[in-house]
């Protein structure tokens, strides 16, 4: 959703974040990026664009194809997965946390649904930019793989909890 602007207002451009010092500071404090040198963080910041979501809006659905990682700048999201026809809450994520990393690393459908619980402002990194960055910054791929491993472990534990005593 894009808000209309009058001719007196300057529209917010996705590329405007590339020079935003607060974005640089925000991502440099994130666990995925804090160990990276400042010039690397600046390179990542240049590739991020901002996207906002309204309360209740679906950011993406389980089973859809994904190509972006989202870093929450403001707000809260709920991550759910369908298990045996019922919606199971995997997590609620807030400011500074990210989701969608599997889409950057593995070319497969989304493994969960993510919906905004409040107005959510995200910084988005798409797969092409991520791939370009990891060619020159292998440590970024290592950090993202660690996050991916944590999420896969969570998904495995949810699946095993659901099937306990059923087979």
């Amino acid at each position: 959703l894009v808000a209309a602007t009058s001719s007196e207002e300057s529209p917010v451009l996705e590329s405007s974040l590339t020079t935003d010092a607060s974005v640089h500071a925000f991502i440099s404090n994130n666990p995925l990026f804090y160990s990276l040198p400042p010039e690397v963080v600046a390179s990542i910041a240049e590739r991020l664009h901002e996207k906002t979501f309204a309360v209740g809006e679906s950011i993406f659905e389980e089973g859809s194809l994904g190509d972006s990682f989202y870093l929450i700048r403001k707000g809260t999201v709920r991550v759910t997965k369908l298990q045996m026809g019922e919606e199971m809450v995997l997590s609620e994520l807030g400011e500074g946390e990210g989701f969608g990393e599997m889409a950057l690393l593995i070319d497969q459908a989304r493994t969960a649904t993510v919906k905004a619980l409040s107005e959510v402002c995200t910084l988005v990194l798409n797969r092409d930019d991520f791939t370009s960055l990891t060619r020159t910054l292998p440590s970024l791929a290592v950090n993202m793989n660690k996050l991916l491993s944590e999420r896969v472990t969570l998904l495995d534990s949810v699946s095993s909890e659901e099937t306990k005593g059923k087979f």
Side-chain angles (χ1 to χ4, degrees):
L1 298 171
V2 178
T5 59
S6 72
S7 60
E8 294 176 15
E9 295 175 325
S10 61
V12 176
L13 303 174
E14 289 180 351
S15 62
S16 67
L17 288 178
T18 61
T19 58
D20 188 341
S22 69
V23 170
H24 186 281
F26 181 77
I27 66 170
S28 66
N29 290 319
N30 183 276
L32 287 173
F33 308 117
Y34 70 80
S35 63
L36 301 174
E39 63 275 7
V40 172
V41 172
S43 181
I44 294 167
E46 289 173 3
R47 290 172 170 82
L48 294 171
H49 65 276
E50 188 173 69
K51 189 165 184 182
T52 58
F53 301 91
V55 176
E57 187 174 354
S58 179
I59 297 169
F60 57 74
E61 298 284 334
E62 181 178 353
S64 64
L65 293 178
D67 68 350
S68 300
F69 169 72
Y70 299 79
L71 186 60
I72 302 170
R73 193 164 188 196
K74 182 186 97 178
T76 307
V77 301
R78 177 172 288 150
V79 183
T80 61
K81 182 168 186 57
L82 282 178
Q83 294 286 333
M84 308 294 272
E86 303 228 1
E87 185 177 82
M88 175 178 280
V89 176
L90 298 179
S91 183
E92 288 185 2
L93 304 172
E95 183 177 319
E97 295 182 285
F99 57 93
E101 66 286 339
M102 291 182 188
L104 298 181
L105 300 165
I106 302 172
D107 191 20
Q108 69 177 33
R110 297 280 191 188
T111 58
T113 294
V114 179
K115 289 187 180 176
L117 292 178
S118 63
E119 181 176 309
V120 175
C121 175
T122 62
L123 298 174
V124 183
L125 179 64
N126 71 41
R127 182 186 297 142
D128 291 340
D129 286 334
F130 177 75
T131 300
S132 172
L133 285 166
T134 56
R135 284 189 189 116
T136 56
L137 310 168
S139 57
L140 178 59
V142 169
N143 290 355
M144 198 63 80
N145 274 315
K146 286 179 187 175
L147 179 59
L148 176 63
S149 177
E150 291 170 12
R151 299 289 166 85
V152 167
T153 300
L154 174 64
L155 287 171
D156 287 346
S157 70
V158 167
S159 295
S160 64
E161 286 295 317
E162 178 189 83
T163 56
K164 278 183 183 174
K166 294 186 179 180
F167 295 105

